[in-house]
Amino acid sequence: MLLACVLARCGMQQTIHDILALQQGLMLQYREAVTVNVSDSVLTVTFQNSKRASLPEAERAALAHGVAEFVRAHYVGYGQLARVQVGFTTAHQYGPVSTSRSEVPYSYAVSDLGPAPPAPAAATHASTPN
């Protein structure tokens, strides 16, 4: 029983690590704050207070598709997903009151995005005789 708990915890820590790595990669790629959530085999990427939310529809759709492809190429857990969603959240502060509006208009089935690219082969070091 204890071993099962330890293994589950290690798995959870790895999942959190993978999500954080994806989030950092997305922020570097798009140079904006994003959040990444995974729930029930759906991964959602949300841009926070992004000026891109006001882009024309065609440009936002192209951005969202590019984000979904980035997830496909960089998220270790991609094979366990069913969908990738992309959206925008806008928050405003009015004195002590804050409001936020979230919109997740883009959703892609993993079956439509295709399989993850194969992982690069591990580098091997040739041994040299002494």
Side-chain angles (χ1 to χ4, degrees):
M1 179 77 158
L2 179 61
L3 180 59
C5 290
V6 169
L7 291 175
R9 184 170 181 205
C10 289
M12 178 67 78
Q13 287 176 340
Q14 185 61 46
T15 299
I16 292 169
H17 176 267
D18 295 342
I19 291 169
L20 288 174
L22 176 64
Q23 181 184 26
Q24 290 172 350
L26 285 162
M27 290 191 311
L28 283 172
Q29 178 72 20
Y30 293 98
R31 303 203 184 283
E32 291 200 35
V34 299
T35 59
V36 177
N37 294 304
V38 178
S39 178
D40 296 329
S41 72
V42 176
L43 184 142
T44 303
V45 176
T46 309
F47 285 85
Q48 304 296 311
N49 289 328
S50 174
K51 292 179 182 178
R52 293 176 177 171
S54 61
L55 290 171
E57 173 56 29
E59 291 180 41
R60 280 193 314 151
L63 167 71
H65 194 266
V67 169
E69 289 179 335
F70 187 95
V71 170
R72 180 188 68 202
H74 295 91
Y75 180 53
V76 174
Y78 178 78
Q80 285 75 47
L81 298 176
R83 301 195 75 73
V84 176
Q85 300 181 140
V86 180
F88 304 90
T89 296
T90 306
H92 297 285
Q93 187 76 33
Y94 304 102
V97 177
S98 63
T99 63
S100 65
R101 178 177 179 266
S102 295
E103 178 184 19
V104 184
Y106 305 100
S107 185
Y108 305 94
V110 167
S111 59
D112 293 336
L113 290 171
T124 58
H125 299 285
S127 60
T128 54
N130 292 351

mmCIF file of all heavy atoms in Angstrom, residues 36-84:
data_model
loop_
_atom_site.group_PDB
_atom_site.id
_atom_site.type_symbol
_atom_site.label_atom_id
_atom_site.label_comp_id
_atom_site.label_asym_id
_atom_site.label_seq_id
_atom_site.Cartn_x
_atom_site.Cartn_y
_atom_site.Cartn_z
ATOM 1 N N VAL A 36 -1.394 26.772 -17.759
ATOM 2 C CA VAL A 36 -1.628 25.461 -18.359
ATOM 3 C C VAL A 36 -2.324 24.605 -17.320
ATOM 4 O O VAL A 36 -1.860 24.515 -16.179
ATOM 5 C CB VAL A 36 -0.304 24.792 -18.797
ATOM 6 C CG1 VAL A 36 -0.557 23.402 -19.348
ATOM 7 C CG2 VAL A 36 0.423 25.653 -19.823
ATOM 8 N N ASN A 37 -3.443 24.025 -17.701
ATOM 9 C CA ASN A 37 -4.193 23.142 -16.811
ATOM 10 C C ASN A 37 -4.496 21.844 -17.545
ATOM 11 O O ASN A 37 -4.769 21.871 -18.750
ATOM 12 C CB ASN A 37 -5.520 23.786 -16.389
ATOM 13 C CG ASN A 37 -5.304 24.999 -15.537
ATOM 14 O OD1 ASN A 37 -4.646 24.924 -14.504
ATOM 15 N ND2 ASN A 37 -5.827 26.133 -15.961
ATOM 16 N N VAL A 38 -4.487 20.745 -16.804
ATOM 17 C CA VAL A 38 -4.885 19.457 -17.356
ATOM 18 C C VAL A 38 -5.969 18.895 -16.453
ATOM 19 O O VAL A 38 -5.798 18.821 -15.241
ATOM 20 C CB VAL A 38 -3.706 18.459 -17.438
ATOM 21 C CG1 VAL A 38 -4.175 17.120 -17.976
ATOM 22 C CG2 VAL A 38 -2.589 19.015 -18.308
ATOM 23 N N SER A 39 -7.087 18.522 -17.074
ATOM 24 C CA SER A 39 -8.192 17.938 -16.325
ATOM 25 C C SER A 39 -8.951 16.993 -17.244
ATOM 26 O O SER A 39 -9.339 17.383 -18.354
ATOM 27 C CB SER A 39 -9.124 19.045 -15.825
ATOM 28 O OG SER A 39 -10.222 18.489 -15.151
ATOM 29 N N ASP A 40 -9.145 15.767 -16.774
ATOM 30 C CA ASP A 40 -9.919 14.777 -17.548
ATOM 31 C C ASP A 40 -9.426 14.655 -18.980
ATOM 32 O O ASP A 40 -10.212 14.719 -19.919
ATOM 33 C CB ASP A 40 -11.406 15.119 -17.533
ATOM 34 C CG ASP A 40 -11.989 15.037 -16.136
ATOM 35 O OD1 ASP A 40 -11.502 14.218 -15.345
ATOM 36 O OD2 ASP A 40 -12.924 15.803 -15.842
ATOM 37 N N SER A 41 -8.146 14.527 -19.186
ATOM 38 C CA SER A 41 -7.476 14.347 -20.480
ATOM 39 C C SER A 41 -7.657 15.528 -21.431
ATOM 40 O O SER A 41 -7.496 15.391 -22.635
ATOM 41 C CB SER A 41 -7.893 13.029 -21.146
ATOM 42 O OG SER A 41 -9.227 13.100 -21.622
ATOM 43 N N VAL A 42 -7.959 16.702 -20.881
ATOM 44 C CA VAL A 42 -8.039 17.933 -21.673
ATOM 45 C C VAL A 42 -7.000 18.907 -21.121
ATOM 46 O O VAL A 42 -7.007 19.235 -19.941
ATOM 47 C CB VAL A 42 -9.444 18.572 -21.601
ATOM 48 C CG1 VAL A 42 -9.470 19.899 -22.357
ATOM 49 C CG2 VAL A 42 -10.487 17.616 -22.151
ATOM 50 N N LEU A 43 -6.097 19.350 -21.991
ATOM 51 C CA LEU A 43 -5.091 20.322 -21.610
ATOM 52 C C LEU A 43 -5.551 21.679 -22.135
ATOM 53 O O LEU A 43 -5.877 21.815 -23.315
ATOM 54 C CB LEU A 43 -3.727 19.959 -22.197
ATOM 55 C CG LEU A 43 -2.577 20.868 -21.775
ATOM 56 C CD1 LEU A 43 -1.307 20.044 -21.553
ATOM 57 C CD2 LEU A 43 -2.311 21.942 -22.800
ATOM 58 N N THR A 44 -5.586 22.682 -21.256
ATOM 59 C CA THR A 44 -6.017 24.023 -21.634
ATOM 60 C C THR A 44 -4.880 25.000 -21.417
ATOM 61 O O THR A 44 -4.309 25.065 -20.331
ATOM 62 C CB THR A 44 -7.245 24.458 -20.809
ATOM 63 O OG1 THR A 44 -8.286 23.497 -20.986
ATOM 64 C CG2 THR A 44 -7.745 25.825 -21.247
ATOM 65 N N VAL A 45 -4.567 25.754 -22.463
ATOM 66 C CA VAL A 45 -3.585 26.833 -22.400
ATOM 67 C C VAL A 45 -4.368 28.138 -22.459
ATOM 68 O O VAL A 45 -5.171 28.332 -23.375
ATOM 69 C CB VAL A 45 -2.593 26.766 -23.581
ATOM 70 C CG1 VAL A 45 -1.643 27.963 -23.555
ATOM 71 C CG2 VAL A 45 -1.819 25.458 -23.570
ATOM 72 N N THR A 46 -4.130 29.017 -21.485
ATOM 73 C CA THR A 46 -4.831 30.290 -21.443
ATOM 74 C C THR A 46 -3.822 31.427 -21.393
ATOM 75 O O THR A 46 -2.960 31.456 -20.511
ATOM 76 C CB THR A 46 -5.752 30.371 -20.204
ATOM 77 O OG1 THR A 46 -6.577 29.208 -20.156
ATOM 78 C CG2 THR A 46 -6.631 31.601 -20.269
ATOM 79 N N PHE A 47 -3.923 32.343 -22.343
ATOM 80 C CA PHE A 47 -3.100 33.550 -22.345
ATOM 81 C C PHE A 47 -3.715 34.539 -21.360
ATOM 82 O O PHE A 47 -4.916 34.773 -21.378
ATOM 83 C CB PHE A 47 -3.050 34.167 -23.749
ATOM 84 C CG PHE A 47 -2.173 33.414 -24.700
ATOM 85 C CD1 PHE A 47 -2.668 32.328 -25.398
ATOM 86 C CD2 PHE A 47 -0.855 33.791 -24.900
ATOM 87 C CE1 PHE A 47 -1.865 31.620 -26.270
ATOM 88 C CE2 PHE A 47 -0.041 33.089 -25.774
ATOM 89 C CZ PHE A 47 -0.539 32.000 -26.460
ATOM 90 N N GLN A 48 -2.881 35.121 -20.509
ATOM 91 C CA GLN A 48 -3.337 36.037 -19.463
ATOM 92 C C GLN A 48 -3.172 37.489 -19.904
ATOM 93 O O GLN A 48 -2.060 37.915 -20.194
ATOM 94 C CB GLN A 48 -2.535 35.807 -18.185
ATOM 95 C CG GLN A 48 -2.571 34.392 -17.671
ATOM 96 C CD GLN A 48 -3.964 33.982 -17.252
ATOM 97 O OE1 GLN A 48 -4.633 34.704 -16.530
ATOM 98 N NE2 GLN A 48 -4.412 32.844 -17.731
ATOM 99 N N ASN A 49 -4.268 38.245 -19.964
ATOM 100 C CA ASN A 49 -4.232 39.669 -20.312
ATOM 101 C C ASN A 49 -3.429 39.929 -21.584
ATOM 102 O O ASN A 49 -2.641 40.867 -21.651
ATOM 103 C CB ASN A 49 -3.695 40.509 -19.158
ATOM 104 C CG ASN A 49 -4.671 40.579 -18.020
ATOM 105 O OD1 ASN A 49 -5.874 40.557 -18.215
ATOM 106 N ND2 ASN A 49 -4.152 40.640 -16.808
ATOM 107 N N SER A 50 -3.629 39.117 -22.567
ATOM 108 C CA SER A 50 -2.870 39.196 -23.802
ATOM 109 C C SER A 50 -3.514 40.161 -24.796
ATOM 110 O O SER A 50 -4.720 40.150 -24.999
ATOM 111 C CB SER A 50 -2.787 37.810 -24.443
ATOM 112 O OG SER A 50 -2.165 37.900 -25.697
ATOM 113 N N LYS A 51 -2.680 40.970 -25.422
ATOM 114 C CA LYS A 51 -3.160 41.831 -26.508
ATOM 115 C C LYS A 51 -3.603 40.978 -27.697
ATOM 116 O O LYS A 51 -4.380 41.424 -28.532
ATOM 117 C CB LYS A 51 -2.071 42.807 -26.929
ATOM 118 C CG LYS A 51 -1.751 43.833 -25.864
ATOM 119 C CD LYS A 51 -0.663 44.771 -26.300
ATOM 120 C CE LYS A 51 -0.360 45.752 -25.170
ATOM 121 N NZ LYS A 51 0.713 46.660 -25.517
ATOM 122 N N ARG A 52 -3.128 39.755 -27.747
ATOM 123 C CA ARG A 52 -3.500 38.855 -28.848
ATOM 124 C C ARG A 52 -4.978 38.477 -28.812
ATOM 125 O O ARG A 52 -5.518 38.037 -29.805
ATOM 126 C CB ARG A 52 -2.629 37.604 -28.813
ATOM 127 C CG ARG A 52 -1.185 37.927 -29.133
ATOM 128 C CD ARG A 52 -0.308 36.728 -29.011
ATOM 129 N NE ARG A 52 1.044 37.091 -29.411
ATOM 130 C CZ ARG A 52 2.092 36.328 -29.256
ATOM 131 N NH1 ARG A 52 1.964 35.139 -28.711
ATOM 132 N NH2 ARG A 52 3.274 36.731 -29.639
ATOM 133 N N ALA A 53 -5.619 38.672 -27.675
ATOM 134 C CA ALA A 53 -7.045 38.376 -27.572
ATOM 135 C C ALA A 53 -7.864 39.258 -28.502
ATOM 136 O O ALA A 53 -8.970 38.887 -28.909
ATOM 137 C CB ALA A 53 -7.523 38.549 -26.137
ATOM 138 N N SER A 54 -7.329 40.431 -28.862
ATOM 139 C CA SER A 54 -8.061 41.347 -29.734
ATOM 140 C C SER A 54 -7.637 41.251 -31.194
ATOM 141 O O SER A 54 -8.063 42.065 -32.014
ATOM 142 C CB SER A 54 -7.907 42.786 -29.233
ATOM 143 O OG SER A 54 -6.549 43.156 -29.240
ATOM 144 N N LEU A 55 -6.820 40.256 -31.529
ATOM 145 C CA LEU A 55 -6.452 40.047 -32.927
ATOM 146 C C LEU A 55 -7.681 39.677 -33.750
ATOM 147 O O LEU A 55 -8.654 39.137 -33.210
ATOM 148 C CB LEU A 55 -5.425 38.912 -33.047
ATOM 149 C CG LEU A 55 -4.009 39.162 -32.534
ATOM 150 C CD1 LEU A 55 -3.213 37.862 -32.548
ATOM 151 C CD2 LEU A 55 -3.327 40.231 -33.374
ATOM 152 N N PRO A 56 -7.624 39.923 -35.054
ATOM 153 C CA PRO A 56 -8.717 39.439 -35.906
ATOM 154 C C PRO A 56 -8.857 37.918 -35.770
ATOM 155 O O PRO A 56 -7.882 37.209 -35.491
ATOM 156 C CB PRO A 56 -8.274 39.823 -37.321
ATOM 157 C CG PRO A 56 -7.302 40.945 -37.117
ATOM 158 C CD PRO A 56 -6.627 40.677 -35.797
ATOM 159 N N GLU A 57 -10.072 37.431 -35.972
ATOM 160 C CA GLU A 57 -10.387 36.008 -35.759
ATOM 161 C C GLU A 57 -9.419 35.077 -36.477
ATOM 162 O O GLU A 57 -8.956 34.096 -35.900
ATOM 163 C CB GLU A 57 -11.826 35.727 -36.187
ATOM 164 C CG GLU A 57 -12.208 34.265 -36.161
ATOM 165 C CD GLU A 57 -11.992 33.586 -34.810
ATOM 166 O OE1 GLU A 57 -12.072 34.237 -33.763
ATOM 167 O OE2 GLU A 57 -11.739 32.367 -34.806
ATOM 168 N N ALA A 58 -9.110 35.352 -37.730
ATOM 169 C CA ALA A 58 -8.227 34.457 -38.494
ATOM 170 C C ALA A 58 -6.844 34.366 -37.849
ATOM 171 O O ALA A 58 -6.242 33.290 -37.794
ATOM 172 C CB ALA A 58 -8.115 34.920 -39.939
ATOM 173 N N GLU A 59 -6.343 35.492 -37.332
ATOM 174 C CA GLU A 59 -5.019 35.494 -36.697
ATOM 175 C C GLU A 59 -5.055 34.779 -35.348
ATOM 176 O O GLU A 59 -4.114 34.062 -34.996
ATOM 177 C CB GLU A 59 -4.517 36.924 -36.534
ATOM 178 C CG GLU A 59 -4.170 37.583 -37.865
ATOM 179 C CD GLU A 59 -3.683 39.010 -37.687
ATOM 180 O OE1 GLU A 59 -2.902 39.269 -36.740
ATOM 181 O OE2 GLU A 59 -4.091 39.859 -38.495
ATOM 182 N N ARG A 60 -6.139 34.977 -34.590
ATOM 183 C CA ARG A 60 -6.262 34.260 -33.312
ATOM 184 C C ARG A 60 -6.378 32.762 -33.544
ATOM 185 O O ARG A 60 -5.798 31.966 -32.815
ATOM 186 C CB ARG A 60 -7.467 34.754 -32.513
ATOM 187 C CG ARG A 60 -7.207 36.022 -31.774
ATOM 188 C CD ARG A 60 -8.260 36.345 -30.749
ATOM 189 N NE ARG A 60 -9.603 36.187 -31.267
ATOM 190 C CZ ARG A 60 -10.663 35.865 -30.543
ATOM 191 N NH1 ARG A 60 -10.548 35.651 -29.253
ATOM 192 N NH2 ARG A 60 -11.844 35.750 -31.081
ATOM 193 N N ALA A 61 -7.124 32.365 -34.564
ATOM 194 C CA ALA A 61 -7.271 30.937 -34.871
ATOM 195 C C ALA A 61 -5.924 30.334 -35.259
ATOM 196 O O ALA A 61 -5.582 29.225 -34.836
ATOM 197 C CB ALA A 61 -8.299 30.738 -35.986
ATOM 198 N N ALA A 62 -5.139 31.067 -36.059
ATOM 199 C CA ALA A 62 -3.813 30.573 -36.452
ATOM 200 C C ALA A 62 -2.899 30.481 -35.232
ATOM 201 O O ALA A 62 -2.144 29.512 -35.085
ATOM 202 C CB ALA A 62 -3.207 31.493 -37.514
ATOM 203 N N LEU A 63 -2.962 31.466 -34.338
ATOM 204 C CA LEU A 63 -2.180 31.437 -33.105
ATOM 205 C C LEU A 63 -2.562 30.222 -32.275
ATOM 206 O O LEU A 63 -1.694 29.472 -31.809
ATOM 207 C CB LEU A 63 -2.427 32.712 -32.292
ATOM 208 C CG LEU A 63 -1.918 32.690 -30.844
ATOM 209 C CD1 LEU A 63 -0.401 32.750 -30.808
ATOM 210 C CD2 LEU A 63 -2.524 33.829 -30.050
ATOM 211 N N ALA A 64 -3.866 30.005 -32.096
ATOM 212 C CA ALA A 64 -4.340 28.886 -31.278
ATOM 213 C C ALA A 64 -3.882 27.551 -31.857
ATOM 214 O O ALA A 64 -3.455 26.656 -31.121
ATOM 215 C CB ALA A 64 -5.858 28.928 -31.155
ATOM 216 N N HIS A 65 -3.962 27.413 -33.165
ATOM 217 C CA HIS A 65 -3.524 26.159 -33.787
ATOM 218 C C HIS A 65 -2.023 25.960 -33.583
ATOM 219 O O HIS A 65 -1.566 24.840 -33.303
ATOM 220 C CB HIS A 65 -3.890 26.136 -35.272
ATOM 221 C CG HIS A 65 -3.773 24.785 -35.862
ATOM 222 N ND1 HIS A 65 -2.630 24.350 -36.503
ATOM 223 C CD2 HIS A 65 -4.640 23.746 -35.880
ATOM 224 C CE1 HIS A 65 -2.800 23.102 -36.909
ATOM 225 N NE2 HIS A 65 -4.008 22.707 -36.542
ATOM 226 N N GLY A 66 -1.254 27.041 -33.690
ATOM 227 C CA GLY A 66 0.190 26.956 -33.437
ATOM 228 C C GLY A 66 0.494 26.544 -32.008
ATOM 229 O O GLY A 66 1.417 25.763 -31.754
ATOM 230 N N VAL A 67 -0.297 27.052 -31.061
ATOM 231 C CA VAL A 67 -0.120 26.670 -29.658
ATOM 232 C C VAL A 67 -0.418 25.186 -29.482
ATOM 233 O O VAL A 67 0.326 24.465 -28.803
ATOM 234 C CB VAL A 67 -1.016 27.536 -28.734
ATOM 235 C CG1 VAL A 67 -1.040 26.972 -27.323
ATOM 236 C CG2 VAL A 67 -0.543 28.974 -28.733
ATOM 237 N N ALA A 68 -1.489 24.703 -30.098
ATOM 238 C CA ALA A 68 -1.836 23.280 -30.003
ATOM 239 C C ALA A 68 -0.721 22.416 -30.595
ATOM 240 O O ALA A 68 -0.384 21.366 -30.047
ATOM 241 C CB ALA A 68 -3.162 23.009 -30.712
ATOM 242 N N GLU A 69 -0.136 22.859 -31.693
ATOM 243 C CA GLU A 69 0.979 22.114 -32.281
ATOM 244 C C GLU A 69 2.210 22.156 -31.382
ATOM 245 O O GLU A 69 2.960 21.181 -31.295
ATOM 246 C CB GLU A 69 1.297 22.655 -33.668
ATOM 247 C CG GLU A 69 0.227 22.305 -34.687
ATOM 248 C CD GLU A 69 0.503 22.845 -36.064
ATOM 249 O OE1 GLU A 69 1.228 23.873 -36.196
ATOM 250 O OE2 GLU A 69 -0.011 22.255 -37.024
ATOM 251 N N PHE A 70 2.429 23.268 -30.696
ATOM 252 C CA PHE A 70 3.534 23.367 -29.743
ATOM 253 C C PHE A 70 3.336 22.351 -28.623
ATOM 254 O O PHE A 70 4.282 21.667 -28.227
ATOM 255 C CB PHE A 70 3.615 24.788 -29.171
ATOM 256 C CG PHE A 70 4.823 25.026 -28.305
ATOM 257 C CD1 PHE A 70 5.979 25.582 -28.835
ATOM 258 C CD2 PHE A 70 4.810 24.707 -26.946
ATOM 259 C CE1 PHE A 70 7.097 25.796 -28.031
ATOM 260 C CE2 PHE A 70 5.918 24.911 -26.145
ATOM 261 C CZ PHE A 70 7.068 25.462 -26.693
ATOM 262 N N VAL A 71 2.106 22.256 -28.130
ATOM 263 C CA VAL A 71 1.796 21.267 -27.092
ATOM 264 C C VAL A 71 2.097 19.866 -27.615
ATOM 265 O O VAL A 71 2.733 19.058 -26.937
ATOM 266 C CB VAL A 71 0.327 21.389 -26.630
ATOM 267 C CG1 VAL A 71 -0.072 20.209 -25.740
ATOM 268 C CG2 VAL A 71 0.095 22.714 -25.911
ATOM 269 N N ARG A 72 1.652 19.575 -28.830
ATOM 270 C CA ARG A 72 1.882 18.252 -29.414
ATOM 271 C C ARG A 72 3.378 17.930 -29.461
ATOM 272 O O ARG A 72 3.797 16.819 -29.148
ATOM 273 C CB ARG A 72 1.293 18.186 -30.827
ATOM 274 C CG ARG A 72 1.511 16.825 -31.485
ATOM 275 C CD ARG A 72 1.099 16.832 -32.937
ATOM 276 N NE ARG A 72 2.017 17.686 -33.666
ATOM 277 C CZ ARG A 72 1.744 18.248 -34.832
ATOM 278 N NH1 ARG A 72 0.585 18.080 -35.406
ATOM 279 N NH2 ARG A 72 2.635 18.993 -35.427
ATOM 280 N N ALA A 73 4.181 18.906 -29.818
ATOM 281 C CA ALA A 73 5.618 18.675 -29.987
ATOM 282 C C ALA A 73 6.407 18.691 -28.679
ATOM 283 O O ALA A 73 7.482 18.097 -28.617
ATOM 284 C CB ALA A 73 6.192 19.728 -30.937
ATOM 285 N N HIS A 74 5.874 19.328 -27.630
ATOM 286 C CA HIS A 74 6.686 19.538 -26.431
ATOM 287 C C HIS A 74 6.144 18.950 -25.135
ATOM 288 O O HIS A 74 6.882 18.903 -24.147
ATOM 289 C CB HIS A 74 6.919 21.038 -26.224
ATOM 290 C CG HIS A 74 7.722 21.660 -27.307
ATOM 291 N ND1 HIS A 74 7.151 22.216 -28.438
ATOM 292 C CD2 HIS A 74 9.047 21.796 -27.464
ATOM 293 C CE1 HIS A 74 8.092 22.678 -29.223
ATOM 294 N NE2 HIS A 74 9.263 22.433 -28.662
ATOM 295 N N TYR A 75 4.897 18.540 -25.099
ATOM 296 C CA TYR A 75 4.345 18.030 -23.844
ATOM 297 C C TYR A 75 4.516 16.521 -23.768
ATOM 298 O O TYR A 75 3.986 15.777 -24.591
ATOM 299 C CB TYR A 75 2.869 18.413 -23.712
ATOM 300 C CG TYR A 75 2.233 17.928 -22.429
ATOM 301 C CD1 TYR A 75 2.796 18.213 -21.187
ATOM 302 C CD2 TYR A 75 1.059 17.187 -22.459
ATOM 303 C CE1 TYR A 75 2.216 17.768 -20.016
ATOM 304 C CE2 TYR A 75 0.470 16.744 -21.286
ATOM 305 C CZ TYR A 75 1.056 17.037 -20.070
ATOM 306 O OH TYR A 75 0.478 16.594 -18.908
ATOM 307 N N VAL A 76 5.234 16.068 -22.769
ATOM 308 C CA VAL A 76 5.538 14.656 -22.595
ATOM 309 C C VAL A 76 4.268 13.816 -22.464
ATOM 310 O O VAL A 76 4.190 12.710 -22.970
ATOM 311 C CB VAL A 76 6.463 14.452 -21.366
ATOM 312 C CG1 VAL A 76 6.671 12.989 -21.068
ATOM 313 C CG2 VAL A 76 7.783 15.156 -21.577
ATOM 314 N N GLY A 77 3.243 14.354 -21.827
ATOM 315 C CA GLY A 77 2.000 13.617 -21.607
ATOM 316 C C GLY A 77 0.998 13.736 -22.735
ATOM 317 O O GLY A 77 -0.167 13.364 -22.570
ATOM 318 N N TYR A 78 1.412 14.229 -23.885
ATOM 319 C CA TYR A 78 0.495 14.441 -25.012
ATOM 320 C C TYR A 78 -0.276 13.169 -25.384
ATOM 321 O O TYR A 78 -1.461 13.234 -25.689
ATOM 322 C CB TYR A 78 1.277 14.965 -26.223
ATOM 323 C CG TYR A 78 0.436 15.161 -27.455
ATOM 324 C CD1 TYR A 78 -0.386 16.276 -27.580
ATOM 325 C CD2 TYR A 78 0.464 14.233 -28.491
ATOM 326 C CE1 TYR A 78 -1.160 16.459 -28.718
ATOM 327 C CE2 TYR A 78 -0.310 14.413 -29.618
ATOM 328 C CZ TYR A 78 -1.119 15.523 -29.728
ATOM 329 O OH TYR A 78 -1.895 15.698 -30.854
ATOM 330 N N GLY A 79 0.366 12.036 -25.326
ATOM 331 C CA GLY A 79 -0.271 10.770 -25.700
ATOM 332 C C GLY A 79 -1.452 10.386 -24.828
ATOM 333 O O GLY A 79 -2.297 9.593 -25.233
ATOM 334 N N GLN A 80 -1.553 10.969 -23.632
ATOM 335 C CA GLN A 80 -2.673 10.665 -22.738
ATOM 336 C C GLN A 80 -3.813 11.678 -22.859
ATOM 337 O O GLN A 80 -4.822 11.569 -22.175
ATOM 338 C CB GLN A 80 -2.206 10.634 -21.275
ATOM 339 C CG GLN A 80 -1.413 9.388 -20.912
ATOM 340 C CD GLN A 80 0.001 9.427 -21.464
ATOM 341 O OE1 GLN A 80 0.692 10.418 -21.339
ATOM 342 N NE2 GLN A 80 0.428 8.348 -22.095
ATOM 343 N N LEU A 81 -3.649 12.667 -23.740
ATOM 344 C CA LEU A 81 -4.674 13.697 -23.902
ATOM 345 C C LEU A 81 -5.716 13.305 -24.937
ATOM 346 O O LEU A 81 -5.432 12.545 -25.858
ATOM 347 C CB LEU A 81 -4.031 15.022 -24.340
ATOM 348 C CG LEU A 81 -3.039 15.661 -23.388
ATOM 349 C CD1 LEU A 81 -2.434 16.912 -24.021
ATOM 350 C CD2 LEU A 81 -3.691 15.989 -22.062
ATOM 351 N N ALA A 82 -6.905 13.872 -24.786
ATOM 352 C CA ALA A 82 -7.960 13.736 -25.794
ATOM 353 C C ALA A 82 -8.125 15.041 -26.567
ATOM 354 O O ALA A 82 -8.431 15.026 -27.751
ATOM 355 C CB ALA A 82 -9.285 13.356 -25.132
ATOM 356 N N ARG A 83 -7.926 16.186 -25.877
ATOM 357 C CA ARG A 83 -8.123 17.490 -26.501
ATOM 358 C C ARG A 83 -7.077 18.481 -25.994
ATOM 359 O O ARG A 83 -6.586 18.364 -24.872
ATOM 360 C CB ARG A 83 -9.500 18.068 -26.188
ATOM 361 C CG ARG A 83 -10.658 17.200 -26.631
ATOM 362 C CD ARG A 83 -11.976 17.943 -26.652
ATOM 363 N NE ARG A 83 -12.099 18.850 -27.768
ATOM 364 C CZ ARG A 83 -12.286 18.484 -29.044
ATOM 365 N NH1 ARG A 83 -12.328 17.211 -29.357
ATOM 366 N NH2 ARG A 83 -12.408 19.377 -29.989
ATOM 367 N N VAL A 84 -6.814 19.492 -26.834
ATOM 368 C CA VAL A 84 -6.005 20.648 -26.458
ATOM 369 C C VAL A 84 -6.870 21.870 -26.727
ATOM 370 O O VAL A 84 -7.395 22.030 -27.828
ATOM 371 C CB VAL A 84 -4.694 20.727 -27.276
ATOM 372 C CG1 VAL A 84 -3.927 22.004 -26.937
ATOM 373 C CG2 VAL A 84 -3.827 19.499 -27.036
#
